[in-house]
Amino acid sequence: MSDSTNRDALGAPGELVPLAARRLGLHTQREDVAIVHRDCSVARSEGLSGRSRVELRANRKRAVARLYQVDNGMVAPDSIGLSESAWHKLRLDEGEGVTLHHARDTGSMRALRGKVYGHRLSQRDASAIFRDIVDGKLSDVQIAAFVAALASHAPERTEITALTHAMVAIGERLSWPGEVVVDKHCVGGLPGNRTTPIVVSIVAAAGLTIPKTSSRAITSPAGTADTVETMTRVDLGVKDMRRVVEQEGGCLVWGGGIDLSPADDLLIRVEHELELDCTSQMVASVLSKKIAAGSTHVLIDVPVGPTAKVRSRADADELAMFMRGVGEAFGLTVRTVMSDGLQPVGDGIGPALEARDVLAVLENDPHAPQELRTRALGLAAAVLEMGGACATGSGIGAATAILDEGRALAKFMAICEAQGGFRRPGIAPFTKVIESERPGHVADIDNRRLARLAKLAGAPQAPTAGVALHVNLGDGISRGQPLLTLHGESRGELDYAIDYYQTNTNLIEVRAK
Amino acid sequence: MSDSTNRDALGAPGELVPLAARRLGLHTQREDVAIVHRDCSVARSEGLSGRSRVELRANRKRAVARLYQVDNGMVAPDSIGLSESAWHKLRLDEGEGVTLHHARDTGSMRALRGKVYGHRLSQRDASAIFRDIVDGKLSDVQIAAFVAALASHAPERTEITALTHAMVAIGERLSWPGEVVVDKHCVGGLPGNRTTPIVVSIVAAAGLTIPKTSSRAITSPAGTADTVETMTRVDLGVKDMRRVVEQEGGCLVWGGGIDLSPADDLLIRVEHELELDCTSQMVASVLSKKIAAGSTHVLIDVPVGPTAKVRSRADADELAMFMRGVGEAFGLTVRTVMSDGLQPVGDGIGPALEARDVLAVLENDPHAPQELRTRALGLAAAVLEMGGACATGSGIGAATAILDEGRALAKFMAICEAQGGFRRPGIAPFTKVIESERPGHVADIDNRRLARLAKLAGAPQAPTAGVALHVNLGDGISRGQPLLTLHGESRGELDYAIDYYQTNTNLIEVRAK
């Protein structure tokens, strides 16, 4: 029916009366928003007043927007106010004509409903859904139903393959000279687990090609992109990224600037509001980005722990199985390693604090967090072996040599220079040391609440804000011994974090011996 | 964690800086919306700028709102603009202080995620979810995930019972003198199937108690409430409804004025955007309203047809089984009848047009649509037998007598008088007769597109708008014979409907003999 609806929408006389575009300067994060006056005759005569979503057309462009109404002067009856996103999508100038249309029921809704009722998504279904998501034709409510339906039914390899195909087809796709292109990915959920810059430096120093794109934080206090950004530029376009990789063998750029999987980014936003982990979507999301990035060999680090993203060994096994199986379908070699997800890895949680840990390891600083160094070496070793840079079993020796001899640091600095120059991460103006109220030993560390503490302190928006952790699981503790230091860029945020800690003192549980 | 989050939110210094409330006169239909300036220091220092949802507090009231930002004068940096719904929820006056807080992850989200992963909802889960929905603590995105998860898993009696319990517990609950209180409900999806006013009139004339509440149209061109409203008042409160029922034995009021199941109304709105039919939700929705209305015996009419809401006999059987089974758990006697859902029932589609059919039947007008008369008599007969007003098998005779002797008409008029006075439904100023382009017979009628046609003509917002159908399935047709007449209250809407018909001429399929 969508076609006929569209044709009649174009043809109907009422449709042709345009409304004058008004830029509201409204930032709506996700969905486009349009606001008309309650007395807007066009909306009324089209019977759109009661609707919550409408299609807007101008300059041969379309946008589907959530429709609100005002009964005051914010928007005149002959005008339509638009959010920034809609404004840019329609390429408008102030006062230009915008026509209102009934939002069509897109074909993908049929596929989406089919998924709810338990049908497997075909390649065609998956492509239609992601196309409509990227074109803004599906509302957040509809995307949420899709995510929930995916998570409600058992994941299945051919369906995940279809989802992955669809995601890859929509975004940019890169290719690189040479047979082997390696990459690594961490499923995440572990604060401070910032091994990527170290692994990339070691692997690139060994002569392999590793065009690494990373995300900014969505739910965490820092993404790799946020961390690297405290030391160099990360918002490179495809052309600059290519230059850096061709020159240094590796890069550390923000994926958002490359647009490898735009559909995925929209999906993740909604998932975040639902706090749903969906295996199908997680696998398709990770692999689509690796395939689009032109990788041939990918190492996936899966931290497992009760407060990490993957909570049980069984979940990790299932995830690994699908990662490998779907990767195969694309000629992508996937290897997964499970790591201890019980506690944070570095000492710092927050962009600059994690960057300092990374530098300390690269600089072979004796006070560098050993756990971070050990993990990074292990992952680098596995990547070196996967990529054929050294024989099986000799990876750890090679990686350690590259790090100890300062070649990793030199490569990291060279990459930063190529990306726009290196700078040392800053230090927060406000800090507060939190001491243990009792003697004992560290019995438990709650990664999720620790991450929340860092976020309340201002991370990642405030790059130097966060938490510096001074203890590890099992450490013996005396009364008054520093457990962590809160870092904030504003007094208010620091107080806010302190207050949260005081009502959550057991997020680091010190149990009497 | 929600509690501690809340406490720290109350305690943190930043939190206590209130923003001045500004009424935006913004009508957002569903979700509360709050708009702050991009430079709003409170939002920034609380790290809320990046968030899409925040909790607002004022006058000891709370509201969870979607947060947008502006970079112009719409809202000053020390103020917060609010949608009408949020404004009223917080009982605000212009300039009053509103504090911003992190929206808490409500306990019901855990239950909601559990449902996604296939767990059965306990009574406690169901109550928590509906409570949060009514309190506006779950966003549309979260409600959508809930609806999709419900629809994704096989319906189960004890779970539907829990959902029904939860819905009943939240709204008003009525009780009536006497042992037997009857009701009827139609699952819907069939245009013009306006039997309710006729059935209620016959049943009440026979001396049974039938306190009927009906809904307005959600996706259809007319709800029973819209239809009755063209003849009398329907927006009665509980007190007036009680008076009418005690006086006349029955009523025909709008359920929205009685508030029997507020949670359900919110759920249905989201379902509408998804166009999802979910058995669990449908059964809980229907039965919760009947139980809340104090019914003891309910007849449920399930039209079955490829373009009706219930498309197959199997779906109808499952629906009927759950309706009966769950009803039992509440001591409610439920009987279901399946009816032919192949074509519209009356001639009219739209509030006033359907009202005219209803009156024609009640007035024993020889031109009254016989299909409507027959169906209404059949349903009334079943209700009379269920309610013990006559012996099994003698219902149809009794119902027919009451209708033919004019006692049903008299009762209908009496009910209208008691509800505020009777008036004849109006006639639309603009009409257009659509004629057949070819001779043949009526091979198919698409209920869904016919309903859409009536809506595009203006129904139900324009009460006299809609479609008058002049043919039935199987009728022999000559070229130029009128198939239907479009009725509109505005030229534009009529043209719009004509245009839609021209691109959908096969919605009444005339096939050459």
Side-chain angles (χ1 to χ4, degrees), chain A residues 47-76:
Chain A
L48 288 168
S49 313
R51 316 253 165 169
S52 58
R53 304 183 71 238
V54 291
E55 181 174 302
L56 312 171
R57 296 188 198 151
N59 303 321
R60 312 189 149 278
K61 304 238 170 306
R62 300 157 183 260
V64 176
R66 190 161 286 283
L67 183 69
Y68 295 145
Q69 297 178 291
V70 282
D71 50 26
N72 60 26
M74 188 197 294
V75 178

Side-chain angles (χ1 to χ4, degrees), chain B residues 283-347:
Chain B
V283 173
S285 153
V286 170
L287 295 186
S288 65
K289 286 187 160 144
K290 301 307 172 193
I291 293 158
S295 314
T296 60
H297 296 69
V298 179
L299 181 74
I300 295 172
D301 177 15
V302 185
V304 183
T307 57
K309 186 160 192 174
V310 177
R311 303 190 187 199
S312 77
R313 175 77 201 217
D315 294 355
D317 287 334
E318 189 198 39
L319 191 62
M321 181 190 75
F322 284 117
M323 290 276 190
R324 285 193 303 269
V326 174
E328 240 169 59
F330 292 87
L332 183 70
T333 306
V334 176
R335 188 176 151 194
T336 56
V337 293
M338 287 175 209
S339 54
D340 166 8
L342 286 180
Q343 63 182 326
V345 176
D347 300 341

Side-chain angles (χ1 to χ4, degrees), chain A residues 24 27 69 72 102 139 273, chain B residues 24 27 69 72 139 273 496:
Chain A
L24 296 175
H27 301 264
Q69 297 178 291
N72 60 26
H102 289 259
S139 68
E273 185 163 341
Chain B
L24 296 175
H27 301 263
Q69 298 178 289
N72 59 27
S139 68
E273 187 164 339
Y496 196 44

Side-chain angles (χ1 to χ4, degrees), chain B residues 22 28 82 84 120 149 162 288 311 317 405 411 429 467 500:
Chain B
R22 297 281 171 247
T28 51
L82 297 168
E84 291 299 287
R120 290 289 176 207
S288 65
R311 303 190 187 199
D317 287 334
E405 293 160 12
K411 174 56 74 176
V467 173
Y500 178 76

Side-chain angles (χ1 to χ4, degrees), chain A residues 218-476:
Chain A
I218 299 168
T219 58
S220 69
T224 294
D226 303 306
T227 300
V228 175
E229 196 170 35
T230 66
M231 299 179 282
T232 186
R233 272 190 58 203
V234 294
D235 58 341
L236 279 61
V238 174
K239 203 169 129 295
D240 285 331
M241 175 187 178
R242 193 175 292 284
R243 176 181 50 76
V244 175
V245 174
E246 277 160 10
Q247 187 182 317
E248 299 300 335
C251 67
L252 287 160
V253 306
W254 172 48
I258 311 299
D259 202 32
L260 292 177
S261 191
D264 180 54
D265 300 342
L266 295 163
L267 218 56
I268 286 176
R269 286 233 200 75
V270 170
E271 256 194 330
H272 169 202
E273 185 163 341
L274 300 174
E275 287 172 64
L276 270 183
D277 288 333
C278 168
T279 303
S280 305
Q281 190 275 330
M282 206 189 303
V283 172
S285 153
V286 170
L287 294 186
S288 64
K289 288 188 160 149
K290 300 308 171 192
I291 293 156
S295 312
T296 60
H297 296 69
V298 179
L299 180 74
I300 294 172
D301 177 14
V302 185
V304 183
T307 57
K309 187 159 191 173
V310 176
R311 304 191 185 199
S312 77
R313 175 80 200 215
D315 294 354
D317 287 334
E318 189 198 40
L319 191 63
M321 182 191 72
F322 284 117
M323 290 278 190
R324 284 192 302 268
V326 175
E328 237 167 62
F330 292 87
L332 182 70
T333 307
V334 176
R335 189 177 150 194
T336 57
V337 293
M338 286 175 209
S339 55
D340 165 8
L342 286 178
Q343 64 182 326
V345 175
D347 300 342
I349 302 170
L353 290 163
E354 295 179 27
R356 306 179 83 76
D357 287 344
V358 167
L359 285 172
V361 170
L362 286 169
E363 290 164 344
N364 296 304
D365 176 335
H367 301 103
Q370 289 311 298
E371 174 70 7
L372 180 62
R373 171 186 160 95
T374 312
R375 281 184 185 243
L377 284 172
L379 294 169
V383 175
L384 291 178
E385 293 178 5
M386 273 183 98
C390 58
T392 309
S394 67
I396 192 69
T400 308
I402 292 170
L403 181 60
D404 292 349
E405 292 160 13
R407 287 158 54 201
L409 177 62
K411 175 56 71 176
F412 179 76
M413 290 302 174
I415 290 172
C416 289
E417 281 312 318
Q419 291 191 189
F422 170 80
R423 62 172 175 279
R424 287 222 155 252
I427 302 180
F430 302 96
T431 59
K432 162 80 174 176
V433 178
I434 302 284
E435 298 164 345
S436 179
E437 295 161 344
R438 69 177 72 83
H441 71 283
V442 177
D444 188 36
I445 296 178
D446 185 326
N447 295 324
R448 286 164 191 260
R449 286 191 288 164
L450 204 54
R452 180 166 170 79
L453 185 65
K455 283 192 285 181
L456 294 180
Q461 288 88 344
T464 64
V467 173
L469 193 63
H470 305 312
V471 296
N472 292 314
L473 272 179
D475 288 1

Side-chain angles (χ1 to χ4, degrees), chain B residues 39 206 362 431 448:
Chain B
D39 299 334
L362 286 169
T431 60
R448 287 164 192 257

